[in-house]
């Protein structure tokens, strides 16, 4: 074995490590214990410096930041047979589980070290990433961690994944995360103090669950009191007969029978109590469910309930309220693309406790100990390559419920009980409780982190860009555009979720809309914004997709669905009028071909500006081009529509093969175009995305051009509404049935010239 490097000698001096080693554990041979393990497997060294020397030559590992030694395969095989776990691992990395026999005198250089860090987006930061090279060939890499109660813990950043999320230990760790955020996160402190400080002056919701005695909770009217409380975000998934009603509210103020509550509510009460909080807000108990007046009053405060909660408890893993969310989690091993499991590795780790205050001044230190280090492999040459199992919030049941989206986003601090562990999210960071190593880059994409401006009070003074492209923009208009651009990803996520009652489609995102409206300072029109109304109209049905959920779970666009039942909920020009996923327009303005003459929505309650809508209309001055539906669009074909021959042929394809509702769209040629070319009707195909499956057989449709880009024109497709009176009696009334896109040259093929196209005034309801 080679002698210790000078850097290691210095490092061990600084960390207080002293010979002799602790007694050798039975799982290692004497040579390994006195060699690589005496040097801590180089896990305490600076990161390796590596250079690729070329294909077939492997890696050149610099001297700095490594520990290397030379042995033979025969010696490794003999020691492995004698029970050395380290020698056995090296043989397995060679392949074949130890092909070298006693006669194999081939020498091998073993190089150990650690990489510069773990994958971007993973937590915790600065986790040691262990690597092994055999003769400069990369043979193993993995993340090192130690249990918090293990003697090796001070040497390692990462901890095992927290599986017993309902234990007193786990909830105490969560309480520590919460305290760290409140007292030590400058960004969180700044945003909390920009308005009402939730720790001292927050006005409590109308009524809360008193969790002082979790076995005997009660409903407590707050009567304008101020203080702290937790809020619950969860999936109902089933009826809740225990809900507060006008009949039982008086009894609930004396005591709620805890045994009658579903597990999720009981678990939330337990968590609230463990965090040291007295009060919990849960909609089923804190809103009188059979009182429309109480519902309207509480909905008007929904943005405040989650915005000013001390913490929101998210029961992300529970598919229904009866399941609960504090059960023991199952460990998720790392696997390769072929499904092979990369086993967790554990090895002894020698540690020497530092001198205590009483031991200083020459007194004897505590004897050395043997701890344990764990390696979670991400690559093993004998098995394959993988990464730690990813967590995707989109795969959790809570991400299927529309209400839960704004409850998560409006909350400044969140304890998220996920399917694999417990996470803490605040305005500054997201991390796994207990410092467990885990990639979290998919936990908070852009759609799951609101801009800071939405939490400021008063909101910043912003103004939209000037509608005239030649006019100078108002100050801060670029910041306005940036904030407005964050709305579209939220709509994309929100429309992939479901609501229990169709009339709640706009209500369930009303708190988010209100937060944006206070900053954008433009009127909210059933999911769209007046300042950008023409561009906002250009939403379309999302093509069928599958959102990665890790492990085969996720949420995707479900194709073209029937027109929603359950009564009116939005005008046809709003994305809220349809079920299923939509893709909002995020393109910039090029050249607008239409003009908005008027737009109004009718609210069920004028006090709820972001609540339920009972009517609305849009008046446009634009072109109306007759059109008909063509054959389905092949989802796998190239989107380049320049192939005339391919477009001119009607593919022999069953209409059911286009579940997304995407079809070819043919514009009705003008008489001049037909005289020039009798085949012009088949040479002007664009594409239509139908909003609802019910409209696939509409006989008469019109394309309404809205925007001209460098290459294409897009807009709405509408159908007539018979016997419907317009807001202006002389107008024709239409309803939206889809979105279309066609290349400019195809418009000319049909004989339609934008400059000469007659513009008419009409209404869309």
């Amino acid at each position: 074995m080679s002698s210790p490097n000078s850097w290691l000698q210095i490092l061990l001096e600084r960390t207080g490590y002293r010979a002799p080693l602790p007694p050798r554990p039975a799982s290692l041979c004497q040579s390994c214990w006195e060699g690589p393990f005496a040097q801590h497997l180089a896990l305490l060294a600076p990161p390796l410096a590596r250079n690729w020397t070329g294909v077939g030559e492997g890696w050149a590992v610099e001297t700095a930041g490594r520990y290397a030694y030379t042995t033979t395969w025969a010696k490794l095989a003999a020691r492995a047979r004698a029970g050395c776990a380290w020698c056995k691992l090296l043989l397995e990395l060679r392949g074949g589980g130890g092909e070298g026999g006693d006669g194999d005198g081939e020498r091998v250089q073993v190089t150990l070290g650690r990489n510069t860090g773990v994958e971007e987006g993973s937590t915790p930061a600065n986790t040691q990433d262990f690597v092994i090279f055999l003769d400069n060939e990369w043979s193993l890499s993995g993340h090192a961690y130690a249990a918090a109660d293990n003697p090796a813990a001070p040497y390692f950043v990462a901890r095992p994944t927290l599986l017993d999320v309902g234990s007193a230990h786990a909830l105490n760790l969560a309480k520590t995360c919460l305290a760290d955020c409140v007292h030590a996160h400058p960004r969180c402190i700044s945003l909390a103090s920009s308005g009402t400080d939730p720790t001292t002056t927050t006005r409590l919701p109308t009524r809360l669950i008193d969790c002082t005695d979790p076995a005997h909770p009660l409903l407590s009217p707050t009567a304008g009191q101020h203080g702290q409380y937790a809020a619950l975000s969860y999936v109902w998934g089933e009826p809740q007969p225990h809900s507060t009603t006008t009949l039982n509210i008086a009894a609930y103020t004396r005591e709620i029978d805890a045994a009658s509550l579903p597990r999720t509510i009981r678990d939330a009460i337990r968590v609230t109590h463990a965090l040291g909080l007295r009060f919990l807000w849960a909609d089923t108990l804190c809103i009188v469910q059979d009182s429309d007046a109480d519902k309207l009053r509480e909905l008007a405060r929904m943005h405040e309930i989650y915005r000013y909660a001390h913490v929101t408890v998210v029961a992300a893993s529970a598919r229904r309220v009866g399941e609960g969310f504090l059960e023991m989690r199952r460990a998720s091993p790392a696997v390769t693309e072929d499904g092979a499991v990369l086993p967790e590795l554990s090895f002894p780790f020698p540690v020497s406790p530092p001198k205590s205050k009483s031991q200083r001044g020459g007194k004897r230190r505590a004897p050395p100990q043997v701890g344990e280090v764990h390696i979670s492999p991400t690559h093993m040459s004998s098995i394959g390559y993988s990464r730690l199992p990813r967590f995707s919030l989109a795969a959790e049941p809570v991400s299927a419920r529309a209400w839960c989206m704004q409850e998560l986003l409006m909350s400044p601090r969140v304890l998220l009980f996920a399917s694999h562990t417990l996470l803490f999210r605040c305005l500054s960071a997201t991390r796994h409780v207990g410092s467990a190593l885990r990639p979290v880059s998919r936990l908070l994409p852009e759609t799951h982190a609101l801009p800071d401006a939405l939490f400021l009070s008063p909101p910043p003074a912003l103004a939209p860009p000037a509608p005239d492209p030649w006019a100078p923009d108002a100050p801060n208009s670029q910041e306005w555009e940036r904030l407005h651009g964050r709305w579209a990803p939220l709509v994309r996520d929100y429309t992939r979720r479901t609501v229990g009652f169709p009339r709640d489609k706009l209500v369930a995102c009303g708190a988010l809309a209100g937060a944006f409206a206070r900053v954008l300072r433009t009127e909210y029109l059933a999911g769209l914004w007046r300042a950008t109304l023409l561009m906002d109209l250009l939403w379309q049905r999302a093509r069928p997709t599958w959102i990665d959920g890790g492990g085969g779970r996720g949420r995707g666009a479900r194709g073209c669905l029937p027109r929603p039942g359950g009564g009116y909920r939005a005008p046809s020009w709003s994305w809220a009028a349809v079920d299923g996923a939509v893709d909002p327009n995020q393109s910039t303005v090029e050249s607008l071909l239409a003009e908005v003459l008027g737009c109004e929505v009718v609210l069920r309650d004028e006090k709820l500006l972001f609540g339920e809508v009972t009517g609305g209309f849009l008046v446009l001055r634009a072109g109306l081009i007759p059109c008909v539906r063509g054959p389905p669009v092949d989802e796998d074909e190239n989107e380049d529509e320049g192939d005339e021959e391919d477009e001119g042929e009607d593919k022999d394809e069953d209409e059911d093969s286009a579940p997304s509702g995407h079809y070819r769209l043919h514009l009705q040629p003008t008489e001049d175009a037909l005289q020039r070319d009798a085949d012009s009707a088949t040479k002007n195909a664009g594409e239509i995305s139908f909003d609802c499956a019910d409209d696939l057989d509409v006989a008469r449709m019109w394309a309404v051009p809205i925007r001209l880009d460098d290459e294409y024109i897009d807009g709405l497709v509408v159908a007539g509404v018979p016997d419907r009176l317009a807001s202006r009696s002389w107008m024709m009334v239409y309803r939206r049935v889809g979105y279309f896109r066609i290349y400019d040259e195809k418009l000319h093929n049909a004989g339609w010239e934008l400059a000469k196209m007659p513009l008419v005034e009409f209404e869309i309801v």
Side-chain angles (χ1 to χ4, degrees):
M1 300 288 182
S2 61
S3 60
N5 295 311
S6 58
W7 61 262
L8 187 56
Q9 293 173 340
I10 296 173
L11 181 65
L12 297 181
E13 288 288 335
R14 291 177 178 175
T15 57
Y17 182 83
R18 294 291 187 274
L21 286 168
R24 176 180 64 86
S27 60
L28 295 176
C29 66
Q30 193 68 34
S31 294
C32 290
W33 185 239
E34 295 178 351
F37 283 86
Q39 313 309 323
H40 297 90
L41 300 176
L43 280 167
L44 307 184
L48 287 172
R50 297 183 291 157
N51 295 304
W52 179 249
T53 59
V55 177
E57 299 179 21
W59 292 93
V61 184
E62 303 296 335
T63 301
R66 73 167 186 169
Y67 173 77
Y69 64 96
T70 301
T71 184
T72 66
W73 291 113
K75 291 180 179 179
L76 290 175
R79 295 166 184 162
R81 288 194 296 270
C84 179
W86 180 255
C87 292
K88 182 178 180 181
L89 171 64
L90 297 182
L91 287 172
E92 290 175 350
L93 294 177
R94 186 192 190 193
E99 296 176 357
D102 291 337
D104 190 345
E106 180 184 352
R107 300 176 68 81
V108 58
Q109 183 183 48
V110 181
T111 304
L112 312 178
R114 70 182 183 93
N115 280 326
T116 54
V118 295
E119 181 183 0
E120 182 180 359
S122 299
T123 61
N126 302 317
T127 295
Q128 293 100 321
D129 188 26
F130 180 56
V131 290
I132 299 177
F133 291 87
L134 298 179
D135 288 334
N136 284 343
E137 291 292 333
W138 179 34
S139 300
L140 179 143
S141 63
H143 306 307
Y145 63 91
D149 57 353
N150 191 275
Y155 294 84
F156 296 95
V157 176
R159 300 286 177 258
T161 300
L162 194 62
L163 301 178
D164 190 4
V165 298
S167 66
H169 171 67
L171 297 178
N172 190 55
L173 290 173
K175 186 176 180 180
T176 301
C177 289
L178 187 59
D180 288 345
C181 172
V182 171
H183 300 295
H185 289 179
R187 182 183 179 196
C188 295
I189 294 172
S190 173
L191 291 174
S193 62
S194 68
T196 304
D197 185 350
T199 64
T200 56
T201 60
T202 295
R203 182 168 64 91
L204 296 176
T206 306
R207 57 188 72 88
L208 292 165
I209 306 167
D210 190 329
C211 306
T212 302
D213 182 357
H216 303 281
L218 57 87
L219 196 61
S220 176
T222 60
Q225 299 178 53
H226 292 65
Q228 297 178 346
Y229 63 95
L232 175 63
S233 178
Y234 68 108
V235 177
W236 279 47
E238 59 187 335
Q240 299 198 58
H242 61 278
S243 297
T244 297
T245 66
T246 53
L247 296 178
N248 62 22
I249 186 170
Y252 277 7
T253 58
R254 295 187 294 272
E255 182 178 351
I256 302 173
D257 180 12
S260 70
L261 298 176
R263 284 185 57 191
T264 292
I265 306 299
R266 295 201 306 269
D267 286 353
I269 291 173
R270 177 182 164 192
V271 170
T272 301
H273 180 76
L275 295 177
L277 297 172
R278 176 183 176 184
F279 292 122
L280 168 69
W281 190 91
D283 56 0
T284 183
L285 293 175
C286 298
I287 299 177
V288 182
Q289 297 297 318
D290 62 350
S291 170
D292 288 342
D294 194 72
K295 286 183 178 180
L296 290 174
R297 181 170 58 251
E298 296 306 304
L299 286 175
R301 291 197 61 201
M302 193 62 66
H303 66 286
E304 296 179 355
I305 289 174
Y306 287 93
R307 168 67 179 91
Y308 294 120
H310 191 64
V311 63
T312 294
V313 177
V314 179
S317 63
R319 293 168 295 179
R320 54 187 180 85
V321 69
E323 285 190 357
F325 57 89
L326 295 182
E327 72 281 358
M328 175 74 76
R329 273 32 176 186
R330 297 177 60 184
S332 302
V335 296
T336 68
E337 292 184 356
D338 298 330
V341 176
L342 278 70
E344 294 283 306
L345 308 174
S346 299
F347 294 104
F349 194 83
V351 298
S352 180
K355 288 183 179 180
S356 65
K357 292 182 179 180
S358 62
Q359 294 170 333
R360 290 172 185 167
K363 293 186 178 181
R364 189 174 182 180
R365 70 172 64 243
Q369 298 175 280
V370 178
E372 186 176 39
V373 60
H374 304 274
I375 307 295
S376 182
T378 56
H379 167 75
M380 294 181 69
S381 56
S382 57
I383 299 178
Y385 177 81
S386 180
R387 292 179 177 159
L388 287 175
R390 281 189 174 273
F391 166 63
S392 173
L393 184 60
E396 297 290 341
V398 75
S399 293
R401 184 175 184 244
W403 284 98
C404 293
M405 178 173 156
Q406 69 176 12
E407 294 166 1
L408 171 70
L409 295 179
M410 295 298 295
S411 302
R413 287 172 291 272
V414 167
L415 277 177
L416 199 150
F417 289 81
S419 298
H420 70 291
T421 190
L422 173 60
L423 300 99
F424 177 76
R425 166 202 179 272
C426 64
L427 300 176
S428 299
T430 299
R431 54 175 167 160
H432 285 77
V433 172
S435 297
L437 177 72
R438 196 81 177 195
V440 295
S441 56
R442 296 189 186 181
L443 172 64
L444 287 178
E446 186 180 67
T447 54
H448 292 107
L450 294 180
D452 287 356
L454 271 62
F455 291 93
L456 297 175
S457 181
L462 304 178
D468 183 352
W470 302 105
D473 286 335
N476 298 319
S477 62
Q478 289 186 341
E479 178 65 9
W480 188 96
E481 288 186 290
R482 187 186 72 81
L483 291 174
H484 176 269
R486 298 293 291 275
W487 178 253
L490 295 177
V491 172
R492 182 178 296 108
D493 185 350
Y494 181 75
T495 56
R496 283 162 170 78
R497 301 166 180 250
T498 58
V499 290
F501 301 98
R503 64 176 182 272
D504 287 343
K505 183 77 170 188
L506 287 168
V507 181
C509 64
L512 284 175
F516 272 86
R518 283 185 287 275
V519 176
L520 298 178
R521 303 189 182 192
T522 184
E523 188 179 358
Y524 180 70
L525 299 166
L528 285 57
W529 303 98
R530 187 176 292 278
T532 52
L533 185 53
L534 278 175
M535 297 296 289
D536 291 354
L537 291 171
L538 299 177
W539 56 269
Q540 61 176 305
R541 165 76 59 191
R543 292 176 183 268
T545 57
W546 191 255
I547 302 175
D548 179 27
R553 299 171 61 193
R555 297 178 297 113
R558 294 172 292 167
C560 194
L561 302 178
R563 187 167 299 281
Y568 185 91
R569 66 188 190 190
S572 67
W573 41 264
S574 166
W575 50 260
V578 302
D579 281 335
V582 303
D583 286 332
N585 170 62
Q586 288 187 276
S587 302
T588 57
V589 176
E590 296 295 335
S591 179
L592 295 176
L593 307 175
E595 179 184 359
V596 176
L597 301 181
C599 184
E600 301 293 338
V601 296
V602 180
L603 298 170
R604 181 185 177 193
D605 188 318
E606 294 183 356
K607 296 178 182 178
L608 296 180
L609 300 179
F610 311 100
E612 186 177 346
V613 170
T614 59
F617 66 88
L618 168 68
V619 179
L620 293 181
R621 178 184 289 121
L624 283 170
I625 305 175
C627 56
V628 294
R629 174 175 66 84
V633 172
D634 185 351
E635 298 297 337
D636 297 325
E637 74 181 34
N638 191 306
E639 292 187 0
D640 181 6
E641 299 185 59
D643 189 341
E644 297 285 348
E645 181 178 352
D646 181 61
E647 291 174 8
E649 296 180 358
D650 284 353
K651 298 183 179 180
D652 185 14
E653 187 175 359
D654 193 291
E655 293 181 0
D656 291 339
S657 65
S660 65
H662 287 77
Y663 288 78
R664 292 297 183 196
L665 183 72
H666 295 289
L667 304 182
Q668 179 177 308
T670 63
E671 292 184 5
D672 290 342
L674 287 173
Q675 290 177 0
R676 291 195 308 267
D677 185 354
D679 295 328
S680 62
T682 61
K683 294 183 178 180
N684 56 43
E687 183 176 326
I688 177 175
S689 170
F690 280 97
D691 297 339
C692 299
D694 304 61
D695 295 325
L696 294 179
D697 295 323
V698 171
R700 299 189 65 190
M701 299 185 297
W702 289 262
V704 182
I706 298 291
R707 174 183 54 180
L708 170 64
D709 200 347
D710 290 338
E711 297 181 346
Y712 64 86
I713 297 163
D714 60 349
L716 312 182
V717 178
V718 298
V721 180
D723 303 325
R724 174 65 183 260
L725 295 178
S727 58
R728 306 177 191 183
S729 59
W730 47 270
M731 284 186 180
M732 292 294 294
V733 180
Y734 300 88
R735 61 182 178 87
R736 171 179 162 141
V737 297
Y739 161 90
F740 85 94
R741 174 171 171 166
I742 188 170
Y743 278 82
D744 191 19
E745 63 179 272
K746 305 299 179 64
L747 193 71
H748 290 293
N749 289 343
W752 296 96
E753 301 288 342
L754 289 177
K756 300 178 181 179
M757 184 181 301
L759 302 181
V760 296
E761 297 179 8
F762 56 95
E763 183 171 299
I764 306 177
V765 294

